[in-house]
Amino acid sequence: KYFSALEPYVKDGTIFVVMPARSGCDFLFRKIMGAKAPKLGFAACDTLPWACRAKDWGRTTEVLGTKETVGAAVMPPVGVAAEQEFHKLQMLLGEQPRIIPCPNVMSISLGSPGQVVHPGITYSRWRSWDGKPLDKKPLFYHGADDFCASIVAGICDDIQAICKKLRKLDGKFDTSQVKTIHEFYTTAYSTQCKDTSTLQRAMVTNSAYDGLTHPMKGDDKIGYTPDFQFRYLSEDVPNGLCFNRGLAELLRVKTPTIDTVMYWCQDKLGKEFLTKGGRMAGKDIGMTRAPQALGITTSRQLLEFLQIKPVPIYKVPCATCGSVAGAIATMCSPA
């Protein structure tokens, strides 16, 4: 809504910085800004510079910890060097966190940590909940167990499979900055995680997450129940997981863990993004950042947007009869 509100007034050379840039933010930016987009700058950051919580909305925020690094990708206005925009961004943030340049915005979209940890932890904790109120709010990050870590890692594996397919289509398409969550913790919180030997240990020993609980409704008298409408699901699923799942569908990449988590999450949100048949064509797809919701519905459209040259379509002999009429090798054969 902010892009739409600003579009009528934006001037050439204006730089938009989005932090954290939820997945597919550049798709949305280009769609809304239209012909103006090439003359505008766009910077996408993979996370907030701080671990923080709003105290008085729009007025005060409690900063729990400053991150050591923030990944950022820049699409500068025509005629402007990306280095200039990185320098401006670093000057705004100060000495810390340090801006780590990413090669493309897709790296930010695929590497966004919130879309992995927030739905992953929520699903892991509440998938078998019996509906009864709890006496106290359970810890969010510090409550992660081995099963939780396996789900979070599984989502990362699915995203890495997407990266692999993009590199297969174009060896020059750089996804090297798309980190797993374990890698993210060991870089962004290297001094705050007391133990980074495993993902689970990194999550539960991160001092920046001390005291952070699951979003809950209720009080000490009536007990606490999970708030599934909190941003951990209501934002990170449609604006994160849905982008990745839609991208995977266009690239024909299987995402078993994302599918499992998404089906559960969309049920809790009362939405349908992923159909029972496994397609990103649910009745609520329009409220997501899935490429399909932003007008990109074919593999060819996707690769053109990403400026990836499609692999030439060529005929191959049928394995049975040897005829070249039997099969076509496409740019997006199954992974």
Side-chain angles (χ1 to χ4, degrees), residues 25 31 41 43 96 168 182 185 205-206 280:
C25 201
K31 179 182 179 181
Q96 202 175 28
K168 180 179 179 181
H182 194 191
Y185 281 128
T205 64
N206 187 347
M280 288 299 289

Side-chain angles (χ1 to χ4, degrees), residues 15-81:
I15 309 296
F16 286 80
V17 180
V18 184
M19 57 173 68
R22 297 306 183 207
S23 302
C25 201
D26 53 331
F27 287 66
L28 181 65
F29 180 76
R30 289 190 191 181
K31 179 182 179 181
I32 292 175
M33 295 302 168
K36 296 180 180 179
K39 296 181 180 180
L40 304 173
F42 180 82
C45 299
D46 63 358
T47 185
L48 284 172
W50 318 276
C52 54
R53 290 292 181 271
K55 299 290 286 185
D56 184 3
W57 183 258
R59 294 178 181 273
T60 59
T61 297
E62 179 183 11
V63 175
L64 304 173
T66 299
K67 295 169 187 176
E68 296 175 30
T69 62
V70 170
V74 170
M75 297 190 305
V78 172
V80 178

Side-chain angles (χ1 to χ4, degrees), residues 129-143:
W129 178 52
D130 60 8
K132 297 178 181 179
L134 277 64
D135 293 333
K136 61 180 182 179
K137 299 179 180 180
L139 294 174
F140 193 74
Y141 300 96
H142 287 185

Side-chain angles (χ1 to χ4, degrees), residues 147-181:
F147 175 79
C148 176
S150 73
I151 290 295
V152 171
I155 296 174
C156 290
D157 289 343
D158 289 348
I159 292 172
Q160 288 298 320
I162 296 171
C163 293
K164 181 179 179 180
K165 187 57 177 285
L166 288 169
R167 294 194 302 270
K168 180 179 179 181
L169 292 168
D170 183 351
K172 295 181 180 179
F173 195 85
D174 192 347
T175 61
S176 61
Q177 291 295 318
V178 182
K179 301 181 180 68
T180 66
I181 289 300

